[in-house]
Amino acid sequence: TSSNICCFQLAAFLSKHTTKHNQHCYFSSWINGTDQTSCTSEKYQITTPRARSFSTRQDLEFQLSQVQINSLLRSNEQSVSVPEFDGRGLSSVRKFESNQVAANTPNEDRRSAATCLQSKGMLFGVFDGHGGWACAQAVSERLLYYIAVAMMPKQNLEELERCMEQGRAVPPILQWYKHHSDYNYRESASLYIEHLRVFWQELLDSEEHSKGLSPPDALDRAFRRLDTDISLEAQVPLSNSLMKSTAIQVAFAGCTACVAHVCPDAIHVANSGDCRAVLGVQEEDGSWSAQPLSWDHNSQNPSEVARIRAQHPQSERDTVVMDDRLLGILMPLRAFGDVRFKWSLELQQSIISSLESTVDLDSLNLYNYVPPNYLSPPYLDVSPEITYHKLRPQDRFLILATDGLWDELSSEEAVRLVGEHLSGIHRQAPVTQTERQLKLGKLHELLLKRRARASPALDTNVATHLIRQALGKGDYGELCQEKLASMLSLPEDLARMYRDDITITVVYLNSDLFTNRND
């Protein structure tokens, strides 16, 4: 039977497992814009003091109904249709759909989407936090502002500065598309605005900044500048104790980021870490192919490991990346925050010592440990790898997702699932001569795989469709309800052992616009 085929054996870990503290913070918007709509993770391989809890046999109950499964999967759905003409020109984006499901408590992933109001294009980002959610939260609400400001013409920046000087309302920079569960750091708003203003003042002082930076230059500059500001904010005196503790948390936590700027005729992707951007291309015969627009920055990328090793003495060649991790601890090899891998030991100790008398370090997830073989810092930076792609008629959609999705699905599988969801056509490969000669058992497996390919989608939101398939995929690609129920009902102290937070944004492109643009 199908339940036997996809039977999911889950080990019952009933001894001590690390849980996450329930963390509370209060949020609100921090700069003008329009709105249309734990703390450790497997990326850190360290042992830290934590509160402990126990899962009991009563906890390991995986009988979720279809209604409960759908409710869990769809609670963070987002679907936004974009006007074809926004008053300034035709949009390359037709709509986008997004969703996320947590494994950590709270979720360490974040997502952002916005239209640039004073320059062209739309921005989409996914952010995967580690060592907590604090860094991903800050980057998700700040990075798109830095990118948009860097692309703005000088005269627009001058207007922003005049408004600030005269105490007038600043013209909106971004039109945000937010889910009702998205928040901002309210207490840090003034600090964030102050540093964003310093950034645009420096752009104004540059003689080269007249028409604004090109998208690739703006992306590179924004990533680097925001990471610098995050580092500085943790070092400078701040009168507000909550703002200070937030700045410390953000800097010592970390996050990877993948951001796409979609303009009228091209996509630029800036990636730092192991989130991923993949373009869905429909070939002439109707089949789907995946074109990578980013590369993972981890130990599975030989050029990335070589880049890291080249930055340090030959004597450290065998210790810079150990056990597939940076210094044997951190999985991504580029990231925001993570000052533990960037600052000198003296600076780290100075900052932590200055807090010990006023702040509960355990509540901030700060621990006095020294990474092994920490001899020639910095070992980590945020410098994004930027790719450019000129849009073509066959380019149908862009998938941005954190590595929780890519742990479960290949880029090719994800593109096929989205493509078939979009077209409603489930293409089957022809039966080969070898397959025609299969014995009965193998032929049965082949038929199961083909049946799985033809199964109708249960979700209108394609990001939800991807999550359902990623968590519930059986041995032959069929959707296994037992496995899906198990993965969604794991207690919080076990969930992170079996899956990661997943965040997905799928951007549908207005492919008809690209027909006559190419050379």
Side-chain angles (χ1 to χ4, degrees), residues 474-512:
D475 292 339
Y476 304 106
E478 79 282 14
L479 184 61
C480 175
Q481 294 295 337
E482 291 89 344
K483 177 180 178 182
L484 183 59
S486 299
M487 295 293 267
L488 290 174
S489 59
L490 286 164
E492 68 175 60
D493 57 328
L494 296 182
R496 193 59 191 86
M497 302 175 67
Y498 288 91
R499 61 183 177 88
D500 196 358
D501 303 326
I502 299 176
T503 295
I504 305 168
T505 297
V506 179
V507 181
Y508 290 99
L509 301 169
N510 229 336
S511 303
D512 293 343

Side-chain angles (χ1 to χ4, degrees), residues 234-236 244 247-249 251-253 338-341 343-362 364-371:
Q235 299 176 51
V236 299
K244 179 65 175 178
I248 293 289
Q249 272 189 292
F252 275 85
D338 280 319
V339 294
R340 186 80 72 181
F341 301 90
W343 289 354
S344 68
L345 290 177
E346 292 76 16
L347 177 57
Q348 291 183 43
Q349 188 56 49
S350 172
I351 296 298
I352 292 176
S353 297
S354 69
L355 293 172
E356 286 177 336
S357 60
T358 58
V359 177
D360 176 11
L361 297 184
D362 188 67
L364 297 184
N365 309 299
L366 298 180
Y367 308 100
N368 283 306
Y369 79 91
V370 176

Side-chain angles (χ1 to χ4, degrees), residues 409-477:
L409 296 177
S410 68
S411 297
E412 292 74 19
E413 286 178 304
V415 164
R416 178 183 61 79
L417 286 166
V418 174
E420 293 178 352
H421 189 278
L422 173 63
S423 66
I425 300 173
H426 302 267
R427 296 172 59 86
Q428 298 284 5
V431 178
T432 65
Q433 188 62 36
T434 302
E435 289 171 335
R436 292 177 188 276
Q437 300 172 2
L438 291 175
K439 293 183 179 180
L440 186 58
K442 291 294 184 180
L443 185 60
H444 181 60
E445 291 182 9
L446 175 63
L447 292 173
L448 289 171
K449 292 179 181 179
R450 293 173 69 83
R451 181 188 300 172
R453 288 285 294 266
S455 300
L458 300 176
D459 305 288
T460 56
N461 185 300
V462 74
T464 308
H465 177 61
L466 282 175
I467 293 173
R468 187 187 297 270
Q469 296 293 322
L471 297 184
K473 184 177 66 170
D475 292 339
Y476 304 106

Side-chain angles (χ1 to χ4, degrees), residues 154 202-211:
K154 188 171 185 178
E202 292 181 7
L203 292 171
L204 280 171
D205 289 339
S206 171
E207 295 180 359
E208 301 174 356
H209 196 92
S210 57
K211 297 181 180 180

Side-chain angles (χ1 to χ4, degrees), residues 266-324:
I267 297 175
H268 291 88
V269 172
N271 185 54
S272 182
D274 50 12
C275 297
R276 191 181 301 174
V278 181
L279 189 68
V281 180
Q282 189 167 31
E283 305 296 348
E284 290 185 3
D285 64 358
S287 64
W288 296 95
S289 62
Q291 180 170 338
L293 294 186
S294 69
W295 287 266
D296 299 348
H297 299 136
N298 55 32
S299 63
Q300 305 308 305
N301 183 337
S303 63
E304 187 67 5
V305 173
R307 181 186 71 87
I308 295 288
R309 285 176 171 161
Q311 296 174 352
H312 299 277
Q314 182 66 24
S315 58
E316 296 184 59
R317 177 176 178 80
D318 295 330
T319 59
V320 172
V321 177
M322 296 188 301
D323 300 324
D324 293 331

